[in-house]
Amino acid sequence: MDPYKYRPSSAFNTPFWTTNSGNPVWNNNSVLTVGNRGPILLEDYQFVEKIANFDRERIPERVVHARGASAKGFFEVTHDVSHLTCADFLRAPGVQTPVIVRFSTVIHERGSPETIRDPRGFATKFYTREGNFDLVGNNFPVFFIRDAMKFPDVIHAFKPNPKSNVQENWRILDYLSHHPESFNTFTWFYDDVGIPVNYRHMEGFGVHTYTLLNKAGKVLYVKFHWKPTCGVKSLLEEEAIRIGGTNHSHATQDLYDSIAAGNYPEWKLYFQTMDPDHEDNFDFDPLDTTKTWPEDILPLQPVGRLVLNKNIDNFFAENEMLAFSMHVVPGISYSNDKMLQGRIFAYADTQRHRLGPNYLQLPVNAPKCAHHNNHHDGFMNFMHRDEEVNYFPSRFDPVRHAERVPMSNAIINGRRERSVIEKENNFKEGGDRYRSWAPDRQERFIKRWVEALSDPRLTHEIRSIWISYLTQADRSLGQKVASRLNVRPSI
């Protein structure tokens, strides 16, 4: 992961300025003009190159997760999970794998405050001996929707109004009033954890259901959980306003300063597994991203620890150009989770748009193991190649297929159709979560709902729908919100 071996020699060897092509620059302060006052000559290549590079310093920001911070470190296996997966980087306790982690907000732009109520991204790139494993996730274990077809719409609803460029509650609550599945995630969004105190005191969840495969080919569903060793801490509204008003990069600074001081952030990784043969035993679909799995029935199993002990060297190169593409490695695979299936394409596609088709050649994204294929040429391809055979197979090139790895061989039968998950059960889990809180935490949750539903653009119909959802989750919750809004519950 040493970035210097990728750096052009001219960037650090010469004691004087040069152009990008290595030509010496004797005056980096004055443009070439006719006389002392100008005009500037077009032949001033040095100036044209300098200003042209400056004009192009920005790349398209991410549509989501634009605001983020990264750090590097390692993942170490602490428990034997070889009976669950044949993934090489999880082969035995003590095995360490270099990682880079990016934390982020989700909705707002690259320069937005880090104190906004918003989900937080928690994405980890493992540089394993079998290629990169990208484990993307959030600080909430659930998501607002369960079908990838709705993803652009839910993001548009949360994004600022395209007319005023202001985020407005009426747009969010209007759209999601059509999707009662979103209520469970609102019990996280409008809870105290909606504004983490910083990135170090934040949980992480893979959200999606993946699969594990062991050497015998046994398949298990799995969810990933990151637990911070320093505990979970959040900001209440008054604290967030105060901190955000003085430092809109407080979480980025906290992460950087903590690592620089040797106070290395650490998380424990846990698996939560389910035998696919048992999925019908539950009153929800385990592939539904709006649901969590009961930990009393499916307990968390310790796997390893994540330690971030090195700050990034350059924010642009290792944060803005850092790209996560849902890559998996042998022993870890996908499930039929509809949101996950959509993201397998979407994540890589957005990086091809932002960074170009060869974004995986960038040092921060490139695998650290040997790799070989015939993908070449295209925009910004900087891999030097001199082979004559760029097709497969060939009797002039000994490259071969890799050894077969365990794969799920489940038989899938079904009619081609656009359908919904049958076991919706939209309100039970959210109601249980609300009832588990202390009264003061319930009161803050209620106040946030009242504030959101007080948006003057919301219609009586939309308020009534949300009151009915709140009431179905917990009757007293719906009644309390309704009374403060002077709306009668419809259930």
Side-chain angles (χ1 to χ4, degrees), residues 2-45:
D2 181 6
Y4 292 98
K5 67 183 180 181
Y6 298 103
R7 183 176 291 185
S9 61
S10 59
F12 73 103
N13 276 350
T14 62
F16 50 82
W17 290 111
T18 73
T19 64
N20 287 344
S21 57
N23 305 126
V25 172
W26 70 269
N27 183 345
N28 195 34
N29 294 316
S30 304
V31 294
L32 185 64
T33 59
V34 177
N36 292 335
R37 302 181 65 190
I40 299 174
L41 294 174
L42 185 61
E43 70 182 71
D44 189 352
Y45 176 84

Side-chain angles (χ1 to χ4, degrees), residues 240-286:
I241 291 171
R242 176 178 57 81
I243 294 172
T246 58
N247 183 0
H248 78 296
S249 299
H250 82 285
T252 295
Q253 183 174 352
D254 174 84
L255 180 67
Y256 191 94
D257 290 350
S258 296
I259 294 173
N263 181 23
Y264 302 140
E266 182 174 334
W267 288 260
K268 304 292 186 184
L269 176 64
Y270 295 86
F271 285 167
Q272 192 179 20
T273 60
M274 178 191 297
D275 191 321
D277 292 338
H278 300 161
E279 62 178 297
D280 291 334
N281 297 344
F282 299 91
D283 59 2
F284 63 89
D285 191 319

Side-chain angles (χ1 to χ4, degrees), residues 73-118:
F74 65 88
F75 175 79
E76 180 181 18
V77 181
T78 57
H79 292 72
D80 184 5
V81 292
S82 58
H83 60 294
L84 300 176
T85 175
C86 61
D88 177 74
F89 79 102
L90 299 173
R91 62 189 177 274
V95 173
Q96 290 190 356
T97 301
V99 301
I100 186 167
V101 177
R102 187 175 189 271
F103 305 99
S104 58
T105 58
V106 173
I107 295 300
H108 296 278
E109 63 275 9
R110 188 158 47 192
S112 57
E114 293 178 308
T115 49
I116 292 177
R117 181 169 296 276
D118 196 24

Side-chain angles (χ1 to χ4, degrees), residues 200-219:
R200 292 183 297 120
H201 292 85
M202 189 178 83
E203 288 182 292
F205 302 91
V207 181
H208 299 292
T209 300
Y210 288 79
T211 57
L212 298 177
L213 297 95
N214 64 17
K215 292 181 180 179
K218 172 64 178 175
V219 177

